[in-house]
Amino acid sequence: MIDDISKDELLRKLASMDIKIDLRRLQEYSAYLQGARKAVMLMQKQFPELSKGKDAVYNKTALSLITDSLRNTDLWLSEVYEMRFRNHKRNKKGKLLSCEAYFSTIVSYIQEVK
C-alpha cells in the first residue's frame, strides 16, 4: 500500500517507470486550463454585480479559489468535486464578512443492517 512506502521511495519508483507522455496533448490541456482561468478572471471584471448583493462574499471567495491556480481551475471544470464553504466570519449584526471556499468529494457508503 501507499502508506507503507515513503514519499521518496514512491517518487523514485515513478521516476524509474518508462511512461510516455504526449507533449502536444499536455500543451493543449495547459492552454485549455489557462483559457478557462482567464475567462473566469475576465468574468470577474466584466460583471461587477457578482460582488454585490447577499451572495457577494460567496461569489468573491469562489472566484478567487477558481483563479488561484490551474489545479483549482481543473478541479472546478471536472465537476467531480463540489465547492463548499467553511470558516464563516460575521459581524455583530450577523452580516457575513468572509468565508473560505474548498473542494470536496461526496463520499457515500452502504451499511448493511441485520
Side-chain angles (χ1 to χ4, degrees):
M1 286 294 179
I2 293 177
D3 297 336
D4 300 335
I5 302 172
S6 71
K7 203 181 243 185
D8 292 332
E9 289 176 34
L10 184 62
L11 289 173
R12 272 191 232 109
K13 283 184 180 183
L14 288 173
S16 67
M17 294 174 140
D18 188 26
I19 300 172
K20 305 223 185 231
I21 298 173
D22 186 1
L23 294 178
R24 289 175 294 176
R25 286 185 168 245
L26 186 65
Q27 193 173 21
E28 288 172 8
Y29 191 64
S30 175
Y32 167 73
L33 287 179
Q34 288 285 2
R37 186 171 175 227
K38 287 193 181 232
V40 172
M41 292 169 80
L42 184 63
M43 188 174 65
Q44 229 172 347
K45 281 184 185 177
Q46 296 294 323
F47 301 105
E49 61 268 7
L50 289 175
S51 61
K52 296 177 184 169
K54 65 178 185 173
D55 293 333
V57 175
Y58 291 114
N59 291 338
K60 283 182 184 179
T61 306
L63 290 173
S64 67
L65 176 69
I66 293 166
T67 58
D68 188 39
S69 68
L70 289 179
R71 180 179 181 273
N72 288 349
T73 306
D74 186 31
L75 292 175
W76 178 64
L77 288 172
S78 69
E79 295 182 0
V80 174
Y81 296 92
E82 197 175 74
M83 188 181 297
R84 294 183 176 230
F85 300 93
R86 63 181 171 208
N87 298 336
H88 294 79
K89 294 187 179 152
R90 300 181 182 276
N91 64 7
K92 291 180 181 180
K93 294 181 180 180
K95 183 179 178 185
L96 184 64
L97 299 175
S98 67
C99 64
E100 179 185 352
Y102 67 98
F103 291 106
S104 70
T105 57
I106 299 172
V107 179
S108 63
Y109 62 93
I110 299 171
Q111 183 177 8
E112 187 175 321
V113 179
K114 293 182 180 182

